[in-house]
Amino acid sequence: SQKIEQNSEALNIQEGKTATLTCNYTNYSPAYLQWYRQDPGRGPVFLLLIRENEKEKRKERLKVTFDTTLKQSLFHITASQPADSATYLCALDILSNDYKLSFGAGTTVTVRA
Amino acid sequence: GAGVSQSPSNKVTEKGKDVELRCDPISGHTALYWYRQSLGQGLEFLIYFQGNSAPDKSGLPSDRFSAERTGESVSTLTIQRTQQEDSAVYLCASSYPGRFGYTFGSGTRLTVV
């Protein structure tokens, strides 16, 4: 069956350090992979989209990689700040007609000042 | 509107009652999605609309759940004869057709007592 796995443990890091989150998937051949941020009591907010033919994508302090051979995406937050504390979700887009996203359970990041 | 609007934000209902959850998507977003998120869990896909047709209803948990959409705007998710296991946050998202990031609403927190 299809499965999406993110870091099961919450991530606690010191301000200024780089947070690295992992998203692994099995039995999928996604055309696209997306990352979202979710704060408590709020809906997820779209951050980045990376296509299967792209190796890396950057947006400000965020960097995403996508390795279709390893079936893995890495999400990096550089120069982390306490405001980056949130749950981060990866989502896979299967090449089909309906553009439905399947989401991972998320990784909670806490950045200490 | 500027974002996806969901109402009510909170709903407490007695077991066995019917509830209606409403979603107002962003104008111009023809794709609309309903997800469910239980406490500490990932997002569970319920149903997807393209315009007012629903090509994928595969995630609806039972025949007590139904959804409709008027044109390319408002959608209503109806749960009949609610059960305690229906308690969750129901999230609506909209997007342009194609592979774009979703814009989520803040969700409706449903509690069945």
Side-chain angles (χ1 to χ4, degrees), chain A residues 15-51:
Chain A
E15 182 176 9
K17 300 293 186 183
T18 296
T20 298
L21 284 63
T22 304
C23 176
N24 294 299
Y25 57 93
T26 56
N27 298 323
Y28 276 103
S29 295
Y32 292 69
L33 190 146
Q34 302 186 21
W35 283 89
Y36 288 77
R37 168 186 174 137
Q38 187 172 26
D39 292 285
R42 310 290 296 177
V45 173
F46 170 71
L47 296 175
L48 281 165
L49 178 154
I50 186 166
R51 296 174 175 79

Side-chain angles (χ1 to χ4, degrees), chain A residues 32 34 36 38 42-44 46 49 93-96 98-101 103, chain B residues 33 35 37 42-43 45 48 56 58 91 98-102 104-106:
Chain A
Y32 292 69
Q34 302 186 21
Y36 288 77
Q38 187 172 26
R42 310 290 296 177
F46 170 71
L49 178 154
D93 180 345
I94 310 306
L95 189 62
S96 67
D98 61 11
Y99 314 125
K100 178 180 71 179
L101 291 178
F103 284 83
Chain B
Y33 306 83
Y35 285 82
Q37 188 172 34
L43 274 70
F45 171 79
Y48 153 72
D56 191 346
S58 63
L91 290 161
R99 285 171 171 87
F100 297 93
Y102 292 1
F104 280 88
S106 291

